[in-house]
Amino acid sequence: MLHAVNELITIYLQTHNFSEIKELLELEDKLLTVPCVTPFKKAELALYYKLKGEYFFLTEREEEGVVCYLEAATRYSKLDFVNKESECLQQITNIHTNKNANP
């Protein structure tokens, strides 16, 4: 189920369909009750937080986006996915840079 949600969020981010993403995020309690024990599922959960961070950033909820990007980076680091972890940290840097450039 997590993989399907990630795919939908990805599509909705591309089409800026934020209302649909909001509805999917409301299912988070159900989504997080499924145990993630395999590396694939753990990576999908990290991706979920990364996509959620992107959604928050695009809807001008930067602080919530940073929290999600940090969660994704932490989860990627536990899997030794250095490139993915770096992408999340770069997004946080971009948020910080943009915020300081446009006070």
Side-chain angles (χ1 to χ4, degrees), residues 18-35:
F18 299 132
S19 62
E20 292 294 330
I21 296 172
K22 184 178 182 222
E23 285 185 34
L24 286 172
L25 294 180
E26 290 171 0
L27 302 173
E28 185 170 301
D29 288 339
K30 283 185 177 181
L31 208 58
L32 298 182
T33 60
V34 178

Side-chain angles (χ1 to χ4, degrees), residues 6 9 20 24-25 27 39 41 43 49 54 73 79 86 92 99:
N6 284 344
I9 292 174
E20 292 294 330
L24 286 172
L25 294 180
L27 302 173
K41 288 184 180 179
Y49 282 109
E54 187 174 342
L79 294 167
S86 180
I92 294 169
K99 196 172 195 178

Side-chain angles (χ1 to χ4, degrees), residues 1-3 19 37 64 81 83-84 90 103:
M1 184 161 107
L2 185 56
H3 178 72
S19 62
V37 292
E64 291 167 283
F81 287 11
N83 289 340
K84 298 286 187 181
Q90 184 62 47

Side-chain angles (χ1 to χ4, degrees), residues 26-82:
E26 290 171 0
L27 302 173
E28 185 170 301
D29 288 339
K30 283 185 177 181
L31 208 58
L32 298 182
T33 60
V34 178
C36 293
V37 292
T38 67
F40 175 77
K41 288 184 180 179
K42 289 178 181 181
E44 284 292 322
L45 187 56
L47 176 59
Y48 171 78
Y49 282 109
K50 181 178 182 267
L51 295 171
K52 186 176 173 183
E54 187 174 342
Y55 162 75
F56 282 140
F57 176 69
L58 291 172
T59 57
E60 299 181 7
R61 295 163 60 183
E62 289 89 4
E63 287 182 32
E64 291 167 283
V66 168
V67 170
C68 290
Y69 280 126
L70 282 173
E71 183 66 29
T74 300
R75 290 176 182 275
Y76 280 131
S77 73
K78 291 177 181 176
L79 294 167
D80 204 23
F81 287 11
V82 178

